[in-house]
Amino acid sequence: ALVSTQSTGKVLVTHSYRQAQRLDPSDLLFILFIAHCSLPRSPIDINYSEQVSSSDEMQYHQQTIFIRKGDQQDNYLPCTLTAVSIRAGIVLILLAEAKTAIAPNICRALQSLSELSRQVDVVVTAAEKGPPDTLISAGELSTSFLRVKGVVDFYFARMEKDMESVDSQLSAQWGRVLDNWKHISDIAQNLGRENRYLYEFERISSNLITDLRRLFYSIYCNEWDGEIHEDIAQIYQSVSLGLRDSSAFLLVKAQRNFTLGNYLSDFPGIVHFLVINRTQNKIIVPSLGAQGKSARYCHKIIQTLARFHRKMVHKGYLGGFMRKSDLLFSYKLWFQNGSKVVSPDTDIQFTPVQPRSKLLCGLYSDMVRHYFGARAQLVECYELLTIHIGEVPFEYVNDSATRLMHVVCSDFNT
């Protein structure tokens, strides 16, 4: 089960059973793509297809998808994909394995037949070129078929009981598969005699693989009849209730969660940064994503940045630099009226009156009133804290600060 944002496609919450099939990143991206394309993006623009159902406020889409199991080409696991719109902008994605034993039996039979088909192609190519040992190769192919026959007979026997309860259409398809299998078994006995048997063997084996794949598709790709609507409704109610208090937080997290990699090419040498709107109490900071020793090192340098920041603020400075070890720490504070940077109305430096042990809660509003007086209600206070590698010049950090702030605020509409 996944909880994802519909606008960005980011995964917020995941849950799986211990025995669940492992998903590759490509599988996960495919699942997210299908789920988000299947649901309307807003109640204003709803155009339901035949497979999209709704009841009251619940909207969901359901279909079968196939996930490759392991590295075998023909070993696919059919799964039921259900996408449920939980709240505005949040989608619950349920992925469940199909409750049947037919799929793995068909896949394993297909895997064996595909391997045999590749051998057939090699022998047929040799026959067309006319080497003297063509009939000998065909005889070896007959031996290979005997090995494959034991495997395919085993899986077809396991399918017999399940196929007894299917409808007439599937029963007819299954009958064609068995007929082709009997025919190819008869031809295999003559493979080492004449090349015409080889070409007939190639044709029937190709038809057999095609019929098996069609049978697989017919079993698992039919439209859903809506019988599990009540189950989906119960899941919808449960998850919707569980996300009631956290959905707003999850949406904000999805919109604000990003990495530094988006800015490295435009701002060489940068290690970390924080953009803070002190008037609205908002912060934009890239996710570090570090673990182990790297996480401890990042925690250490962030603490150093925090101490440097408090020192600058308590002294009333509007900017400053500090080199420590191999890093360069910088701090800049400025004011804006809308999108326009504004200068203070007075040259008298603001001196905080709070003791150093107190929090900074009211300091910034006092600073804005000190510098702008009657205009204080129109002005917002911003801070930018950065960490660069130590070799970066002061001038470069100072010149790029405004540009970095502009890019970040533009990316997040702040």
Side-chain angles (χ1 to χ4, degrees), residues 168-179:
S168 57
Q169 181 181 358
L170 292 178
S171 180
Q173 289 182 272
W174 175 237
R176 285 195 296 271
V177 169
L178 294 180
D179 290 342

Side-chain angles (χ1 to χ4, degrees), residues 6 39 57-60 83-87 90-92 236:
Q6 193 169 12
L39 290 173
E57 296 181 356
M58 184 181 69
Q59 303 157 10
Y60 73 90
V84 188
S85 180
I86 299 298
R87 288 177 174 271
I90 296 182
V91 177
L92 171 66
Y236 165 78

Side-chain angles (χ1 to χ4, degrees), residues 263 267 270 273 384 386 400-409:
Y263 300 91
F267 301 95
I270 195 167
F273 70 83
L384 173 65
T386 66
S400 63
T402 302
R403 186 163 56 94
L404 175 60
M405 175 65 183
H406 175 75
V407 171
V408 172
C409 292

Side-chain angles (χ1 to χ4, degrees), residues 19 43 122 133 154 165 171 191 238 258-259 340 370 374 409-410:
Q19 295 83 10
V122 172
D133 61 346
F154 173 77
S165 58
S171 180
L191 279 176
S238 176
F258 65 101
T259 63
K340 183 180 179 181
H370 170 82
C409 292
S410 176

Side-chain angles (χ1 to χ4, degrees), residues 111-174:
Q111 181 183 347
S112 297
L113 290 171
S114 296
E115 293 173 357
L116 180 65
S117 178
R118 286 190 286 270
Q119 296 181 29
V120 173
D121 291 339
V122 172
V123 176
V124 169
T125 301
E128 291 174 349
K129 292 180 179 179
D133 61 346
T134 299
L135 295 181
I136 298 176
S137 298
E140 293 174 350
L141 180 61
S142 179
T143 303
S144 297
F145 172 76
L146 292 177
R147 291 195 297 266
V148 171
K149 185 177 186 303
V151 176
V152 176
D153 282 341
F154 173 77
Y155 290 117
F156 278 6
R158 294 180 63 176
M159 292 174 58
E160 281 287 355
K161 184 175 181 180
D162 293 313
M163 297 306 297
E164 290 177 356
S165 58
V166 299
D167 59 34
S168 57
Q169 181 181 358
L170 292 178
S171 180
Q173 289 182 272
W174 175 237

Side-chain angles (χ1 to χ4, degrees), residues 3-14 88-90 243 245-259 262 283-289 412:
V3 176
S4 173
T5 58
Q6 193 169 12
S7 59
T8 63
K10 290 185 178 180
V11 177
L12 306 178
V13 182
T14 63
I90 296 182
L243 291 177
D245 298 328
S246 57
S247 57
F249 164 75
L250 292 174
L251 286 173
V252 171
K253 179 182 177 182
Q255 295 169 358
R256 300 287 176 175
N257 191 27
F258 65 101
T259 63
N262 302 343
I283 182 170
I284 302 174
V285 53
S287 174
L288 293 173
F412 293 93

